[in-house]
Amino acid sequence: MNVLFPALRDASPAPALRFGDRSLSHCQLASVAGALAERIAGETRIALWATPTLETAVGAVAALLAGVAVVPVNPKIGESELAHIVADSMPSLVLAEPDADLPGPLAALSRIDIEAAAPPEEAAPAPLPSEPGDEAPALIVYTSGTTGPPKGVVLPRRALAHTLDALEDAWQWTADDVLVHALPLFHVHGLILGILGPLRRGGSVHHLGRFSTEAVARELSADGTMLFGVPTMYHRLAEEAGRNPSLAKALSRARLLVSGSAALPLTDHERIAAATGRRVIERYGMTETLMNTSVRADGPDAAGTVGVPLPGVYVRLVDEAGQAIEANDAETVGEIQVRGPNLFVEYLNRPDATAAAFDGGWFRTGDMAVRDAAGNYRIVGRKATDLIKSGGYKIGAGEIENALLAHPGVAEAAVTGAPDEDLGERIVAWIVTETGPDAGPAPSAEELADHVARQLAPHKRPRTVHFLDALPRNDMGKILKRELRA
Ligand code: MCA
Ligand code: AMP
């Protein structure tokens, strides 16, 4: 299992990556990524400025070939989140596109510009380095928790290989598939499934750079066979497909439409089915576990569920007393726990959090679900109300509250999620402004949203801000978020 990308070693001339009008075959990718792998060999951990570009894909593949753990960084990341990630992961250097302007903590590192220009097809690549063992760390992906700053999830090569091969089986994913997507490349969905997946299969990916219904229609009308997206993207496609026959036709041509990262509402399933005659398949995963379950491409329609466990993955439901639930009655709710070769190793520098995340060998997902007689899981909620899924991004209420409290005009802050048709959930901030004699002018909603975007990331900014005279609290002084939501 050591070799992650057999098609690179075979120097296959088949197409591998396409971003806009730039592309590389597997053979060309072996050349450029192989050359970069040689330059970074011997490093332990490096950062990757993960713009949605060919360079990012080449950088990630080079690091995997060299056996160097890579920390993908959101190119829109804010100051305090970047400072945390760099201090926590201590990368020895950063890989970036040649013209990228890197912010402070990354600019201070030594830098290697990623060279991704296509070499002539006939040039045979130099032999690739031998790859490390299955347990070696491949990627460290930062993910939000309910409190505190994001944690670095250490993903071994074994988990990547396992999850991608399990999806090959569930989706009959082959080298003939051309994947289309527009997902960001600093998370599991876009980078591991969306870039490394096609490369492991020996197939190809067309990345759109930026999501639009027009770009999806164009690529699926050409040679795209699969589409990956988050529910917000499918919601926008569902809205548009109803009134745009050429988009509906393009979607109906795809072999597989796959949604994940959050729940796809039944209304969107139904609208897409009505407009295109095609069903969307949902799969369920997590940064810490990669993929756990999926509706199978060769199985019965199971819209509204996340399907059955993937090969090699053990999934169970556990009640509040910690007992496994045996019922397959589509009614008894329990927490999903997962065990298998798809799991992460640890949270970087956080043995406490790693220990708390496991129940024996089982990883506690925090997702609540039921199981039906066919073995399909249906997710019904989440244990922690302080985790918000917005546009498919997981965001902790606590990190936004801390960022808001660091604004000089804010005296008290609470953050909740509210249902949103487009984003699934929308971030809502509840603010009490500073009023003391030294207080400056009260901040506007826009200023607070910009502040969070600058400190953390634009997708973590509150979309609604309410100003209150006081936050509702219980006798112990704890904020009563239930009252805010009501
Ligand atoms: C807006 N922008 C700002 C501000 N407001 N920038 C700075 N300050 C501000 N105040 C910018 C944004 O950066 C962005 O720039 C543009 O305005 C629009 O931002 P936004 O409104 O947030 O975008 P959107 O239209 O709502 O995006 C919807 C989306 C996006 C495309 C669906 O949410 C998305 O890509 N989601 C994917 C999330 C994902 O991959 N999750 C996987 C993790 P610009 O226009 O330049 O972009 S979960 C996972 O991996 C697990 C394993 C799983 O199961 O998959
Ligand atoms: P992240 O921690 O960002 O990797 O997001 C993982 C979380 O996304 C899971 O714990 C689930 O709550 C959610 N999720 C992923 N896929 C699905 C899906 N198909 N349906 C519902 N929730 C999902």
Side-chain angles (χ1 to χ4, degrees), residues 350-363:
R350 293 294 306 276
D352 55 328
T354 308
F358 283 89
D359 175 2
W362 294 90
F363 176 75

Side-chain angles (χ1 to χ4, degrees), residues 401-462:
E401 288 161 0
N402 289 340
L404 288 166
L405 287 168
H407 188 286
V410 173
E412 295 179 58
V415 165
T416 57
D420 186 278
E421 251 197 38
D422 182 48
L423 296 170
E425 282 183 285
R426 165 171 31 101
I427 297 170
V428 179
W430 308 82
I431 301 292
V432 178
T433 55
E434 282 291 358
T435 50
D438 302 332
S444 67
E446 197 188 358
E447 182 179 340
L448 293 178
D450 287 347
H451 168 78
V452 174
R454 271 196 313 275
Q455 291 301 316
L456 304 179
H459 66 263
K460 296 186 177 180
R461 72 191 189 277

Side-chain angles (χ1 to χ4, degrees), residues 458-480:
H459 66 263
K460 296 186 177 180
R461 72 191 189 277
R463 310 276 173 147
T464 308
V465 181
H466 297 291
F467 293 95
L468 304 178
D469 293 332
L471 295 181
R473 292 180 187 266
N474 66 12
D475 294 345
M476 312 291 291
K478 191 171 179 289
I479 298 170
L480 295 168

Side-chain angles (χ1 to χ4, degrees), residues 76 184 189 210 236 261 283 285 391-393 450 453 458 461 463:
K76 295 209 181 86
H189 196 169
R210 181 193 181 99
R236 294 177 187 180
S261 303
R283 94 297 180 284
Y393 288 111
D450 287 347
R461 72 191 189 277
R463 310 276 173 147

